[in-house]
Amino acid sequence: MFEVFKKELRELLRDRKTLIFVVALPVAVFPLLFAIMAFISSQAALEAEQEVHTYAIINGNYAQEFTDKVFYHKSFALYKGDETFNTVEELTKAVKAGTIDMGIYLPSDAKQTLDDAKQSEWQVVYNDAKAINFLFDRVKELAKEYGDKLRTTKLLSFGVSEQQQAAIIEPIKVVKVDTADKRENLGEKIGGFIPYLLIPLVLMGATYPAIDLGAGEKERGTLETLLLTPITRTQLVLGKFVTLLASSIATTTITVLSMGVWISVAIAFVDLAVVKNAFSSLTVLDLGLIFVLLLPIAAIFSSLALAISIYARTFKEAQNYMAPLSMGVIFPIMVALMPNVELTSKTAFIPVTNVALAIKEIIKGTVDYTLVGLIFLATVIVAGALLAFCVKWFNKEDVLFR
């Protein structure tokens, strides 16, 4: 078995493509993905903040103070074309035609309407299907400021002080006292995406070498030679399995170390207090625990990938079979991302999902070590069963020589 392992390992180290997936990709994936996400988010926010939208307002003189606020707002520019607008229908047509981005219709004097004990209804016309949905919110905010001022002035005229107004308008003020620290809050938001990156990389570390170790041997005609050597088929398949496991563990190690290094770099150089406060408490023990949980997962993936590769007739056929395996792994990870799916004594026995939930809890700093033990035990049992199946699979002539 050890001789088979050495042979396969030497061939694996000569394959540059495999080394790229096993070594280079895990090192680069975290900075690359986070950098791309940060860049896209910052660019989108910057463009949304700097973009100026054309508007037209009807009966703006009914609320001059509000009209002036919209006019001087950095996100809006008054339409200065030749067209005139007098109704909501005309504003709607102009927005659909792209003449203006937004129209505001004030049907009456809000101040006079308030004196008459009525509510003034203003209409904002815009295309809600476009990526400028914040237009309504900004106009609503400006209108609220104007409306609050009218209300305050009116109530003051009735002899109601501003302090009394606050008590009347909001008799009960609910204050949130959050028991979760910043690490737990941030971990809940992004902790679910860490296993979404880690676990597929562990799978990748097993699948790419597995294709060559099984289907590749068949296609090159070297499998028959291996079967003629004075070792049992069980030793042969175990040697290949250990090679895949070593490859997957190498990917796991590099991935976890890469995550730790890039988080440390982010904490040291990125000026984000929230991120620093959240991840500064992520210890080496936490990273080690994540690594330990990924080990039996690596064994599961190695067994599955090897069984598929042994069954496939050709290299290309094995590649086609690996695609459904990747999709099958993504689904349980997505289950862990769903709301209200938590790590419990029940979910601790769901393969892949349990590890994803445990990693999330580790990132949050709220992990239950008893459940971690259950997850490790359950995953090891599944890995052992799949390895036994792989050995039995390899001993079937109709599988090896399809």
Side-chain angles (χ1 to χ4, degrees), residues 210-353:
I211 294 172
D212 187 66
L213 265 61
E217 293 272 16
K218 284 185 178 182
E219 203 165 40
R220 292 191 298 270
T222 56
L223 182 61
E224 291 84 350
T225 307
L226 281 175
L227 292 173
L228 291 173
T229 56
I231 58 173
T232 65
R233 290 192 179 185
T234 300
Q235 291 174 325
L236 185 58
V237 73
L238 286 177
K240 290 180 176 292
F241 168 78
V242 173
T243 306
L244 292 181
L245 185 61
S247 172
S248 190
I249 289 174
T251 306
T252 304
T253 305
I254 294 168
T255 300
V256 174
L257 288 176
S258 174
M259 184 178 72
V261 169
W262 288 112
I263 286 175
S264 300
V265 170
I267 291 172
F269 295 100
V270 178
D271 189 20
L272 290 174
V274 176
V275 175
K276 287 183 179 181
N277 292 333
F279 287 115
S280 59
S281 55
L282 191 65
T283 64
V284 176
L285 178 63
D286 295 326
L287 293 174
L289 195 58
I290 291 173
F291 175 77
V292 169
L293 286 172
L294 289 174
L295 288 179
I297 284 288
I300 289 175
F301 293 160
S302 299
S303 300
L304 285 171
L306 185 57
I308 291 172
S309 183
I310 290 168
Y311 179 77
R313 292 189 183 93
T314 62
F315 196 94
K316 187 175 181 180
E317 185 180 344
Q319 285 181 318
N320 293 335
Y321 289 152
M322 293 301 176
L325 176 61
S326 300
M327 294 178 62
V329 169
I330 292 296
F331 177 75
I333 301 174
M334 292 178 64
V335 171
L337 289 172
M338 293 180 180
N340 299 322
V341 178
E342 298 179 352
L343 183 60
T344 64
S345 56
K346 292 181 179 179
T347 55
F349 291 95
I350 303 174
V352 181
T353 300

